[in-house]
Amino acid sequence: MKINQAILYGSLVLAACASCSDKMNYNEYNIYDKAYITRTFEKVGGFMTDIYNHADYDFGQNYSGAILGSASDESEYAYSGNSIEDFYNGSWSPSNAKSAMWSSMYEGINICNHVLSEMQGLTFDDLKLNSDYEAQLYRYKNYKYECKFWRAYFYFNLVRQYGGVPLIKQTTAAAEINKMGRSTSDEVFQYIMDECNAVKDSIIKDYSNEGNYQITPAETGRVNNLGVLALRARAALYWASPLFNTSNDMNRYKTAALYTKELIDACEARGMGLTAKYENLWSVNNWSDESITKEIIFGRRIYGSGTNGASAVFENYNYPVGIEGGKGGNCPTQNLVDAYDMKATGLGIHEAGSGYDENNPYAGRDPRFEATIARNGDVWPTSYKTVLETYEGGTHGEPIAGGTPTGYYVKKYCHGAIDLRSTSKYTADDHTWITFRLGEFYLNYAEAVFKFLGSADATSSEFPMSAREAASKTRVRAGMPAFPMGLSNADFWTKYKKERMVELAFEGHRFWDVRRWKEADAYFKSITEMKITLQGDGTLQYTRNTVSRQWDDKMYLFPIPQTELLKDENLTQNPGWDQ
């Protein structure tokens, strides 16, 4: 069977959909009214494209180059004064609420509700004489299931950020919306999982293999049933986590484990699995090479202004300062670097017998370190053939503006072959943000089964794969030893969190993981930088530098934007933010 892949190809949105504030109000269009929009399959499809355009990603577009990882212990933004600092310098508030997600997700929900209420039961007379009419009508009928998925996905992004939010399940007048209070987080999570259960068996399973309704060309960029199963499984794990599971209900972890196992089984039955090389996951052809797409359940193609939509925005933000076109950007912390174990022993650098040498700190580390992080002495980016000097006074280090404050630059998601010099012809390429991939769900399964069964080695008839086995899959793929049997619960939990930090680095998880675990006191009150100095004899001295950050437990959830509270007298603020 042809390997399933799910990378969004993207297309132009109809001119009728251009205004975010007006796009769904047919009465405000003199030309593009409801009758016009619903007359043709192409125009209805434009609304579906706009829904996909609301899928989130984090390439620095929201914070002038900074990513959410730089508001966690994953990275530090190289320039002071960036708005990402508001998350940890005391400037965060309901009037400075970081509300882009609130606005974008409710816009997406609004479009979904309108498609579900206003664009059903159409027959498209313009297509009836076409030879592929039945196939296109089949595609159209699937839109309602896609809408239900995306509406649930948008609510997931809202609930993980705010907790309970207003649940708007149908097209509703603004006056009525502005009287709605918040549903509980339990109600929102249950709604998400119920919606996924309602559509998982109806939505198209594989756009590249639809039998009698073969769609040409195959729309592999649309969400399929594996995406639905992935959303349900991820939502269930968040619902089971301490931030939302205040009663420590172990049945929630069982639900998360069952849902994740169903997803993994479905992926493996379809021929999917981990790609051979970790770094291929963010390569330029990760949307088309079946040896890579076999791990990717869904990803969003990110388009720029280059030829065929190619871009180099992430490279421009994150290539090292000191080379043409590089701005420094999001610099990996020493906290992240320390999470990479020793390859030969599989032990952490602070464990006895690991083989770690503090005078040669990067030798023999987990291969994912070299794939993810650029350090002093590396040739990076590959197109420049420049040896990095990240030490104090080096070509790519402090005190140059934008010089890495941590001693490192990020490689992951950067395409090192892109050359930003003005004389280069290769200045952009394809990028895909990975929304769901199988590697994440092996780790999610490990967490849920560990919490439910009570140990890393435990199995049952329902869960024949232990947490230790599941959490080892991504390590073994990278060439690391599997986790040993017999770990204490405390040791496994520590190692699991490090594995998750390493495997999913810069994929948008760390900021949320620490919050849902309610472990910010341990991880978000400071970060560690590595200050490197060149000695007179040519050797390097490595000195750790701790940088304090502000944390208050109210920050586990975002503040509801003050503008929304002013609109809706029944909308309540999250705890701690109304002071």
Side-chain angles (χ1 to χ4, degrees), residues 327-338:
K327 294 182 179 179
N330 301 278
C331 300
T333 61
Q334 187 63 38
N335 310 65
L336 175 59
V337 172
D338 285 349

Side-chain angles (χ1 to χ4, degrees), residues 262-294:
E262 183 177 344
L263 168 66
I264 291 171
D265 289 346
C267 287
E268 292 178 347
R270 201 171 295 183
M272 298 178 69
L274 299 182
T275 188
K277 293 185 178 180
Y278 175 68
E279 57 268 34
N280 285 348
L281 286 166
W282 58 93
S283 65
V284 296
N285 58 341
N286 67 349
W287 59 275
S288 59
D289 184 335
E290 290 186 355
S291 70
I292 306 170
T293 60
K294 70 176 186 176

